Amino acid sequence: MQDISFLTIQELKSLLDSKKITKKEVVQFFLERAAQHKDLNAVIEQYDVDSILSASADTGFLSGIPGYVKSNICQKDRITSCASKILANFKSTYDATTVERLKQQGALCLGSVNNDEFAMGSSGETSAYGVTKNPWNKELVPGGSSSGSAAAVAAGFAPWALGSDTGGSVRQPAALCGIVGLKPTYGLNSRFGLIAYGSSLDTVGILTRTVYDNALVLSAMAGQDAKDSTSLPTTPKDYTKTLDGSLKPGLTIGVVEDALSAQALHPEIRQATEDAIKVYEKMGAKIKRISIPSLDYGAACYFVISRAEAASNLARFDGIRYGLRVPGKSLIDLYEATRHDGFGTEVKARILVGNYVLSVGHAGQYYNNAQLVRQIIRQQLADAFKDVDLLVMPTHATPAFKVGEFDNDKLTMDLQDYFTAPLNLAGVPGISIPVGFSSQGLPLGMQLVGPHLSEELLFQTAYAYQEITDWHRQHPSL
Ligand code: GLN
């Protein structure tokens, strides 16, 4: 059989439509490929072929197109572990709305993929199932927290994967693995069935190798959901419609100078971003250099708000209702033993910090101030979009880093969200696309950022770039 590892969704569809290949063969091929490269530790669980096929509709515009789902997104009758010991045996009784809608269009869910425990991390290292490796270099991390989603797509285990992005967890691993990662507008994709980390920041995002594929998958998922009260009143649409290789007439791109001149930014990423800006300029875009000073406070503000919301959301894992139960002499003992044994160190640390910043006497100093800063970031981004259609900034400061590199440097690890978290705080969408390779041969990413519900414009702009560059067509040799 031909090697279909790196085919786009359109290419796979035409093979399926012309009956050159069956759905079953597609599923078997991709399951085997992931099994052959188990050492990447991208996949937590693969499902059996028959149950994969029978879980999805027969027809639909994603019929027979396989993908993987992050382990914090519920799939009916499948283990939804969040890569945590506390949910290691938790079987979901329903599909997340995003998963349900994909299945209604015939998409096939091959399994659940690895991630930082409860989506808390930037490297894939906090998973209870061990570290995921970067397919471009197995000594390096793939980024996180959607580590397995990014590694699986980059390694050709499937053309799409779902991730969640609370502070950067789809865009950052996409950048480190050389693929496309979309964090949609807050509320565009339903959060029903996404196990909550930071409810006011959480989004379900999409990882693919091409912009077109990403737009196609979003077309199946987006739109209001009665089961999520924070979902926006939008109707489903075809996000591929505007993808014709052209830019919006008169497109003005704002280059965020503060971000591009950040000291920590790797010079090769700065250069690749400037080169991409030149590509857009050549295509006729107007380029405006702008400053958004509050972005500098994004990571700190995100740190406080995400911990506060995590502490509150994770209180439900107590040994009574879901997952692990470690017996104790009293109810309090049971709670303590379950949470002690069930959660990993990173999660525990975040719960402690979250309760601290919410506590009487400290909330004023931390949580309330962070909310004020959040409003300023929101406002400054909204002001920027009065002058420009889109913003360009880096996704991440460096190419992929070594496994264990920040074991003794938690602060630097937390700063990995520097360029990504402001978008979650403001609720605006962003897409990370590959824009080159470092001298070490590692993928480099760049972020396009738009105002609320500008996904079509983001896709159109990112697609036009992919039409005349070929970074996205280069794949790791495994
Ligand atoms: N790296 C960030 C964190 O650790 C983002 C995580 C996310 O987006 N889920 O919280």
Side-chain angles (χ1 to χ4, degrees):
M1 194 171 112
Q2 92 180 85
D3 183 0
I4 56 171
S5 319
F6 292 106
L7 295 191
T8 64
I9 293 180
Q10 290 303 81
E11 288 164 346
L12 266 178
K13 266 170 74 138
S14 74
L15 284 183
L16 283 161
D17 289 347
S18 60
K19 307 220 173 352
K20 294 206 173 83
I21 196 169
T22 65
K23 283 185 199 176
K24 194 168 183 166
E25 285 168 337
V26 169
V27 170
Q28 277 165 339
F29 176 91
F30 283 110
L31 289 179
E32 259 165 48
R33 180 167 170 86
Q36 273 163 15
H37 300 289
K38 243 189 150 116
D39 58 327
L40 287 180
N41 201 25
V43 179
I44 294 179
E45 187 189 355
Q46 290 190 326
Y47 311 135
D48 72 90
V49 180
D50 291 337
S51 72
I52 291 169
L53 291 169
S54 64
S56 296
D58 259 348
T59 54
F61 66 83
L62 292 174
S63 179
I65 305 301
Y68 279 98
V69 176
K70 188 171 178 176
S71 79
N72 62 349
I73 301 175
C74 291
Q75 299 184 67
K76 189 172 164 31
D77 300 330
R78 310 287 197 194
I79 297 217
T80 304
S81 67
C82 294
S84 178
K85 258 174 83 177
I86 209 158
L87 290 178
N89 296 315
F90 169 68
K91 222 177 230 180
S92 178
T93 52
Y94 56 83
D95 275 328
T97 298
T98 44
V99 168
E100 184 180 52
R101 291 183 180 175
L102 284 168
K103 287 180 173 174
Q104 279 165 0
Q105 289 302 334
L108 304 172
C109 299
L110 301 183
S112 80
V113 274
N114 211 348
N115 49 263
D116 283 292
E117 185 178 358
F118 281 102
M120 297 176 187
S122 297
S123 63
E125 294 169 293
T126 74
S127 166
Y129 297 99
V131 189
T132 301
K133 310 287 165 49
N134 190 312
W136 293 89
N137 177 338
K138 292 176 193 164
E139 282 170 19
L140 308 180
V141 303
S145 67
S146 307
S147 49
S149 308
V153 169
F157 296 172
W160 63 267
L162 292 189
S164 63
D165 193 312
T166 303
S169 281
V170 163
R171 291 159 288 154
Q172 188 255 20
L176 270 47
C177 289
I179 60 171
V180 178
L182 171 79
K183 171 236 174 289
T185 302
Y186 179 81
L188 179 63
N189 284 334
S190 170
R191 288 187 297 115
F192 179 75
L194 165 65
I195 297 187
Y197 160 16
S199 307
S200 76
L201 307 154
D202 288 342
T203 58
V204 174
I206 303 163
L207 300 101
T208 56
R209 290 183 299 270
T210 70
V211 172
Y212 195 96
D213 284 356
N214 213 294
L216 210 51
V217 175
L218 185 69
S219 305
M221 288 168 24
Q224 191 168 21
D225 176 18
K227 293 179 189 147
D228 171 5
S229 62
T230 59
S231 78
L232 295 171
T234 55
T235 42
K237 62 170 135 184
D238 178 359
Y239 288 91
T240 63
K241 258 201 181 137
T242 51
L243 309 186
D244 59 7
S246 70
L247 294 180
K248 175 187 145 179
L251 180 77
T252 307
I253 297 179
V255 176
V256 187
E257 271 300 304
D258 331 57
L260 268 179
S261 57
Q263 228 186 357
L265 185 64
H266 195 284
E268 289 182 310
I269 296 187
R270 185 176 298 126
Q271 191 54 50
T273 307
E274 291 290 359
D275 291 346
I277 293 165
K278 280 197 202 105
V279 171
Y280 279 122
E281 210 168 5
K282 258 199 184 152
M283 293 177 77
K286 274 191 231 108
I287 306 296
K288 238 178 153 170
R289 304 264 161 182
I290 64 164
S291 166
I292 308 182
S294 64
L295 294 185
D296 199 27
Y297 301 95
C301 176
Y302 168 78
F303 182 93
V304 174
I305 291 174
S306 63
R307 271 64 176 176
E309 295 188 9
S312 153
N313 276 321
L314 271 59
R316 76 192 65 176
F317 302 109
D318 55 7
I320 303 298
R321 284 165 291 189
Y322 321 86
L324 182 74
R325 175 178 301 171
V326 180
K329 282 191 248 63
S330 65
L331 188 59
I332 297 287
D333 279 349
L334 180 150
Y335 291 156
E336 285 182 0
T338 300
R339 288 165 70 83
H340 174 274
D341 289 4
F343 290 136
T345 317
E346 180 66 25
V347 173
K348 282 179 192 152
R350 292 192 185 206
I351 293 172
L352 288 175
V353 172
N355 283 313
Y356 179 79
V357 300
L358 285 173
S359 61
V360 177
H362 298 290
Q365 192 183 354
Y366 294 107
Y367 183 72
N368 299 354
N369 274 337
Q371 292 293 9
L372 292 175
V373 174
R374 181 176 193 170
Q375 287 316 315
I376 295 170
I377 292 173
R378 242 184 125 87
Q379 191 55 51
Q380 289 195 354
L381 275 165
D383 288 345
F385 290 125
K386 288 181 189 146
D387 286 336
V388 300
D389 296 300
L390 295 177
L391 298 171
V392 158
M393 52 199 252
T395 308
H396 190 246
T398 64
F401 47 91
K402 282 212 172 77
V403 174
E405 187 160 334
F406 300 125
D407 278 357
N408 299 313
D409 185 359
K410 288 280 299 150
L411 181 62
T412 306
M413 188 61 108
D414 288 329
L415 285 172
Q416 305 298 310
D417 309 322
Y418 186 86
F419 298 115
T420 48
L423 279 66
N424 301 76
L425 292 166
V428 298
I431 189 166
S432 181
I433 53 171
V435 289
F437 287 89
S438 72
S439 47
Q440 313 277 320
L442 297 173
L444 308 173
M446 175 185 98
Q447 201 177 192
L448 289 167
V449 184
H452 293 105
L453 296 175
S454 63
E455 278 77 4
E456 274 176 302
L457 182 62
L458 284 175
F459 282 137
Q460 180 185 14
T461 312
Y463 179 80
Y465 177 83
Q466 287 205 328
E467 279 289 278
I468 52 171
T469 55
D470 70 351
W471 311 116
H472 61 291
R473 288 197 198 91
Q474 304 190 31
H475 309 303
S477 51
L478 286 173

